[in-house]
Every structure is written in structure tokens, then in C-alpha cells.
Amino acid sequence: MRNLLPTPASVPFSSGQDVVVTDFGLRAQSRLSPYVMGFFGIGLPVFVWSAQLGLSTWLLACYLILFVINWTAFMVVKGQAETRQAIEPADAGERRTLARARLWRQGLGGAIWAVSLMVISLSAATAGPGAEMFLMVCAGAAVGIIFFSAPVLLHLLILGPVAIAGPILALQLLHEGPQLSQLMTGGLVLALAMAVILNRHMREHYLLQNRQEEIAAEREAARAATYEVKEARMALMETLQREVQTSLKGLEQHLAQGLTHLSRAPVPRQCVEAALTQVAHLQSILITTVDNDGAAAGQIEVAAEPLDADLLCQKVLAQHAHLAQGKELSFTYNGQALPEHGAAIGDAHRVEQVLTHLVSNALLYTQQGRVEIKLMPVENFLRLEVVDSGPGLSEDELDQAFQPHSRIQRTSSGHSGAGLGLSLSRSLAELMGGRIGGLSTLDVGSKFWLDLPFDKSAPPPARPDEVLDEVEATSDHSLRVLLLSNDSLRAAQLRDSLERMGHKCLTSTSRERALALARKAPVDACLISTGAFENLDEPESRMKLETFLDSLRATQTAANLNILALVPAGDQVDDLQAMGVRPLLLPQNRESLARALAAV
């Protein structure tokens, strides 16, 4: 306790811990103020009653006047101390100064009562033996002062002895009842000793509470700093997104313009087409990355509205049909289990984003077989499920797939990506009150699902007519293709590819046969693969080809016929485009053919 006693210096603290302990002790004393008032209110009637038993009326009146003066002075000092306590210290030095001022002010408030109690006790000793009961009440008041001084050791060690000195000396001066005097002395000294022990326990509590407050402040500061970093990161990412997207858009436009000037150079044209594909891929990665950071920072807001899940699935199916056709995959949608009443609840844009990612993954990693979208009720959710016959994943790989920036080396080799799709999908699902999961078997396939809250009483939103028309136009991906080829082997290969894509094929070896077939049955597209065309610089040859094309289009008055031509080495591309023919440069792959046919 030595370091807690007042030193000769003006600062009564010898360490930083002393400041903390004193500060918390002074706060504890302030919180005891209501109990001080209660103690005074209960003790005053007992004090007056005991004074009437052995003291004169004039002495009691003096004591009451002293009480009024003391109480007024105490309330003034107490108010000043509380005003000091309300001041927030700017630094450690100011905190030390404020604690010192509060220490002396609150000590002065206690000293008023301790000194008054000594004066009252000693003056009562002159009243004779009848003052014993009154002095016992004074001893109880001394115990009260000890208790209320206990939170601050300096106050306890100064005010406690002063408070107990009055009753003890007064009983000694009476020379009556030495046993009572000894008993009271022992009790008061014991109360003072117990108060010192209590103060030591309170000191540990003060230090522990201070450490907890420091940890809480550090945690709050760290949280605020983290929030600021997230805010700065998101601002940076949004700026980068705008700038990079602007640059990518400009690059895409320049590449598209350059593509029109490369009609006679097949190899550079294919390089530009590949560059355009990579630009679109970079844009997708950029959007996914920014959305993932926004979800992690809690800065993505989602709507909770009734959804038309059937329409969303059909839209995603239509948007990715050409990818499935290019890989000759069976790509279907099964919504037969969709409940007749009620609707899933979520954000339509975000649901489409998650479903698009699941479908894209399935089509990307599935080399043969099928990909299927399903709708089914599960518990209180509506499940949007994507099933594929891809390479499958092990349990560890499946867990890894949902981790951000994590990719499965076994299956992702040769495929670029940021590894954020499933992580973002999980965040979006949780924001909408749903869940996402998956099951997979190696060498068999996988299924991933998105579960959305389902409200049986919610009506699904009405479908706009333009959306219905768009879905109906793209829901049937099977086309009737008229194939014109003078090479039987090439014709067989093209016919096989078209049929694997799900298209119906009519084959002809001459223009006359092609016109005859077109007059008998409606067709959606015509694919010409006859090698090099005649010299279109000659007016006669050009007129002959234009007459054939006009006649072919005339057979399909109810449709806008899409005419494609496979041309070697980019020959006569400009002339064919001028005639409304879409040239496909050789060598061509299945994906480019599927995209060209999807433009019908």
C-alpha cells in the first residue's frame, strides 16, 4: 500500500495504475451517492432520538445546525466533483490533473462529515454517562464513513481514522464502561481493517475493468479502422471498375471495328475474335470481384420480392443455349415440380446472377452428356438446381470450391477465372435469406442448388408481354437448317454436327435442289459450304448468285432467313456481306457455328 499513500510531491500518484485505480474509485464513490443519502435519511431520526436520551436541548440544536451547514457544503463539493468527472480528458496528463482535482474535492466532502463526527463525539463526552447510547450511534456513523470511503484508499486511510477517533476518545473520556469502550474500539478498528482488505479487492477489480475497457476501445478502433479500410478498398475497387470497364469497352469497340477490316485475313480475324472473347471474360471477372468485395463488406443490398422462378430459369436457359449447342450437350429445363400457388422471395437480378454462375460452371466443365435446370420445393424453400454429368468433385474439392479465390486444379486447368463465383453466390444467397449447396461424385457429375424462401400465399409477379415474347422466341432452340454442299464428306460432317446440336437438317448438293426443298418446307437458316464462290467481280456471276439468294429468300416469306456461308481464306467476304450473307471463315469450330445459328 506504500505506493498509494500521498507523497510529498504535488501529484499524489506514483504510477499509471494509481491514476486508473483512483479514477475508478472516485467513480465508485459517486455511484454510492444515493446510498449516502439513504444512510443519512435513516440515521438522522436515530441520531435525534439517541441525543434526546442524554444530551441537552441546546446541544442537540447545535448539532442540527451543524448538520444543515455540513449537508449544504457537502452538496456543493459533490456537485463540483461530478462536474469534473463529466469532463473527458484529452490525454494522460489531463486525466492525471482531473483525477487529482476530483480526489481532493470528494475527499473534502468526506472530511466535512468525518471532522464533524469527531467534534460531535468529543462534545457529547462532556454530557455525562447518559451519552453512551449517543456515542454508540456516532460509532455506527463512523462505520458508514469507513464504508463510503473504501473505494479510494487515500480517503480511507485519512478519513477512516479521523471518523473512529471521535467515538473512541469520547468513550475513554467518560471513564464509564471500560468493556464497552474496548468492544467499540475493537469493532471500529476491525471495520477499518476489513475496509482496507475490501479496497485491495476493489483495486484488482478496477484494473481488470480498465483492461476490459481498453480492449473494448482497441476492438472498436480496430473495427473502425477495418471499416475505413473496407470503405477505401470498395471506393478504389469501384473506381478501378469504372476505369477498367471504360477501357475494356473502348478496347472492345476498337477490336470490333478492326474485325470489319480483316475479312480477307482469316488468321488475324480469328485472333481478334479471341481477343473479344477475352475482353468479355475480363469484364465478367471484374464484376464478380467487385460484387464479392461488396458482399464481404456488407455493402450489397438485395430486395425481398416475389419472383417468377420459372421465367428466370427459362431466361438463363435461353442465354446459354448456344454454349450447350457448341459442345453438343443436352441442355434442358424441368419445372414440373413448381408449386401452383405461391412464389419464391428474393432479388430477381441476384438470383439470375447466381443461377447464371451455376449454369456457366456446369457447361464449362461438362464435356459430354447433359446439363439440366430443375425447380422443386424443399421444406420451406424453392430449390433451383443445376445438374451436370461433368468430372465431379471429391468432398474436399467441393468444400474448396466455395472458398474465395480457390480453384480446383484438377478440373480448372486450362480455364481462367478468379475463383469467386461460388463464394459470391453463397454470400448473395445468405443476404436473400436462402442457402446454397452442392453434391458431387467423381467421374459421375455434380449438382448445385440455390434454395430461396418460399411464401405459399405470395402471388408471382405478372409477366410483361415483351418478356413472354422473348422467352417464347428463344425457348425452342431446334432450328430447321438447309445445308447446301457439293462435298459429300463435308456435308456428312456438317449434318452430324447440326443434328448433335438439336437442329433438323435438309441436305442438297445444288442450288436448284436447295430451292426445291425450301419451297416444300419452312427453314430457319441456310448453310452454304460449296468451297470458293464464282468470281463475283464479274457482273454475270454476281447477278446469278443474287438471283439464287433472292429466290431462296422468296420461299420463306414468313421468316427472316439467316444465310451462312463457309468460305476458305476469307475469299469474297465483302461481296457476300453486301448480299446479306454471313460469312464464316474456315477453319471454323463448333462454337462459332452455334453462335452464328443462334443469331437467327
Side-chain angles (χ1 to χ4, degrees):
M1 295 183 292
R2 180 177 55 83
N3 62 334
L4 295 177
L5 295 175
T7 63
S10 59
V11 179
F13 311 116
S14 59
S15 69
Q17 284 190 348
D18 294 341
V19 178
V20 171
V21 171
T22 302
D23 181 56
F24 276 93
L26 293 172
R27 294 186 200 177
Q29 282 186 343
S30 296
R31 287 193 292 268
L32 287 175
S33 295
Y35 302 99
V36 172
M37 298 178 183
F39 180 80
F40 177 82
I42 295 173
L44 183 59
V46 178
F47 177 84
V48 173
W49 169 77
S50 61
Q52 290 176 345
L53 295 178
L55 301 180
S56 61
T57 304
W58 69 267
L59 192 58
L60 175 60
C62 291
Y63 291 164
L64 292 177
I65 294 172
L66 181 61
F67 275 1
V68 173
I69 296 173
N70 285 355
W71 189 255
T72 303
F74 174 77
M75 294 302 294
V76 172
V77 173
K78 175 178 175 294
Q80 292 178 347
E82 290 178 349
T83 302
R84 284 281 181 175
Q85 182 178 347
I87 300 175
E88 290 291 336
D91 51 30
E94 186 176 350
R95 181 178 183 180
R96 185 183 293 269
T97 302
L98 290 173
R100 187 189 315 123
R102 288 167 51 210
L103 178 68
W104 295 121
R105 279 181 169 80
Q106 291 186 204
L108 178 60
I112 292 173
W113 291 106
V115 173
S116 298
L117 182 62
M118 176 181 284
V119 172
I120 290 172
S121 300
L122 294 176
S123 63
T126 62
E132 288 183 357
M133 178 62 70
F134 179 76
L135 291 177
M136 291 178 63
V137 173
C138 290
V143 173
I145 292 176
I146 291 173
F147 175 77
F148 292 118
S149 301
V152 181
L153 184 61
L154 183 62
H155 292 171
L156 177 62
L157 295 179
I158 294 176
L159 302 181
V162 173
I164 67 175
I168 292 174
L169 293 175
L171 283 174
Q172 294 292 335
L173 292 174
L174 285 176
H175 301 290
E176 296 290 340
Q179 293 181 349
L180 177 62
S181 175
Q182 294 174 0
L183 181 63
M184 184 180 294
T185 301
L188 291 175
V189 172
L190 179 61
L192 182 61
M194 294 297 294
V196 173
I197 296 174
L198 175 62
N199 179 270
R200 302 308 295 175
H201 286 284
M202 295 177 72
R203 173 187 173 89
E204 296 177 0
H205 174 74
Y206 296 156
L207 295 175
L208 178 60
Q209 183 176 355
N210 180 70
R211 182 55 186 157
Q212 290 176 341
E213 290 184 0
E214 288 178 349
I215 293 174
E218 291 172 359
R219 185 183 298 113
E220 181 63 24
R223 189 198 65 79
T226 302
Y227 180 78
E228 290 178 359
V229 170
K230 286 183 178 179
E231 287 285 330
R233 180 183 177 185
M234 287 303 302
L236 176 61
M237 290 298 297
E238 290 175 357
T239 301
L240 287 176
Q241 181 189 24
R242 288 194 300 268
E243 297 300 324
V244 174
Q245 278 190 333
T246 301
S247 299
L248 289 175
K249 286 291 185 183
L251 178 60
E252 185 178 23
Q253 292 176 359
H254 289 306
L255 288 173
Q257 292 174 0
L259 193 63
T260 61
H261 301 289
L262 294 174
S263 58
R264 298 181 182 277
V267 175
R269 183 182 180 91
Q270 290 175 357
C271 292
V272 173
E273 288 180 342
L276 283 170
T277 301
Q278 290 301 317
V279 167
H281 181 63
L282 285 174
Q283 289 175 330
S284 175
I285 291 178
L286 181 63
I287 293 173
T288 301
T289 302
V290 173
D291 281 350
N292 186 75
D293 287 346
Q299 296 183 346
I300 286 185
E301 296 182 358
V302 296
E305 302 173 342
L307 304 175
D308 190 337
D310 178 63
L311 179 61
L312 286 174
C313 291
Q314 292 185 48
K315 287 178 63 177
V316 173
L317 184 77
Q319 292 167 0
H320 294 80
H322 68 280
L323 295 177
Q325 293 172 358
K327 300 181 70 171
E328 298 182 355
L329 298 175
S330 171
F331 187 31
T332 58
Y333 162 60
N334 184 354
Q336 296 180 358
L338 181 67
E340 295 183 1
H341 304 286
I345 306 299
D347 188 306
H349 171 67
R350 296 302 180 181
V351 171
E352 183 177 349
Q353 186 176 1
V354 174
L355 186 59
T356 295
H357 178 75
L358 298 182
V359 170
S360 298
N361 273 359
L363 293 174
L364 179 64
Y365 298 117
T366 302
Q367 301 305 320
Q368 59 182 0
R370 69 185 182 97
V371 174
E372 183 179 12
I373 304 175
K374 294 182 179 180
L375 277 180
M376 64 189 74
V378 176
E379 299 174 355
N380 295 324
F381 297 90
L382 181 67
R383 174 165 294 182
L384 287 71
E385 187 175 83
V386 179
V387 183
D388 66 63
S389 58
L393 301 172
S394 65
E395 291 185 7
D396 292 339
E397 290 174 336
L398 186 61
D399 292 337
Q400 182 184 351
F402 282 96
Q403 301 302 318
H405 303 289
S406 179
R407 307 188 68 216
I408 311 302
Q409 295 298 325
R410 181 177 61 85
T411 59
S412 62
S413 178
H415 302 290
S416 60
L420 293 173
L422 285 176
S423 172
L424 174 60
S425 297
R426 170 174 284 177
S427 299
L428 293 176
E430 292 173 352
L431 287 173
M432 292 185 289
R435 59 193 183 187
I436 195 170
L439 289 175
S440 188
T441 304
L442 285 173
D443 301 323
V444 175
S446 306
K447 64 178 179 180
F448 290 87
W449 61 79
L450 168 65
D451 288 346
L452 296 172
F454 188 79
D455 187 348
K456 297 180 180 180
S457 61
R463 296 184 180 182
D465 294 338
E466 56 271 18
V467 175
L468 287 171
D469 295 340
E470 179 184 352
V471 171
E472 289 173 0
T474 57
S475 60
D476 184 8
H477 306 291
S478 176
L479 301 177
R480 295 175 296 275
V481 181
L482 175 61
L483 174 60
L484 173 57
S485 177
N486 55 7
D487 184 336
S488 58
L489 178 60
R490 182 64 175 163
Q493 292 174 340
L494 289 171
R495 183 185 185 95
D496 182 66
S497 295
L498 292 170
E499 289 179 349
R500 284 178 178 271
M501 294 179 193
H503 303 312
K504 299 175 183 178
C505 189
L506 301 175
T507 305
S508 62
T509 57
S510 65
R511 293 177 179 176
E512 291 75 13
R513 174 64 177 166
L515 288 173
L517 291 174
R519 292 189 184 100
K520 292 181 180 180
V523 293
D524 299 302
C526 176
L527 178 59
I528 303 174
S529 177
T530 56
F533 284 82
E534 55 266 48
N535 186 3
L536 298 181
D537 291 335
E538 298 179 359
E540 184 178 351
S541 299
R542 188 181 186 90
M543 183 177 296
K544 183 177 180 181
L545 179 59
E546 288 179 342
T547 300
F548 165 70
L549 294 176
D550 292 340
S551 300
L552 184 62
R553 293 189 181 97
T555 63
Q556 308 297 319
T557 56
N560 185 15
L561 186 63
N562 185 18
I563 303 178
L564 312 175
L566 298 178
V567 294
D571 294 337
Q572 302 174 328
V573 168
D574 292 340
D575 293 326
L576 290 174
Q577 288 179 333
M579 296 180 185
V581 177
R582 181 178 301 176
L584 298 177
L585 302 181
L586 290 173
Q588 62 86 36
N589 54 37
R590 191 178 300 148
E591 286 78 6
S592 62
L593 178 59
R595 285 195 298 268
L597 289 171
V600 173

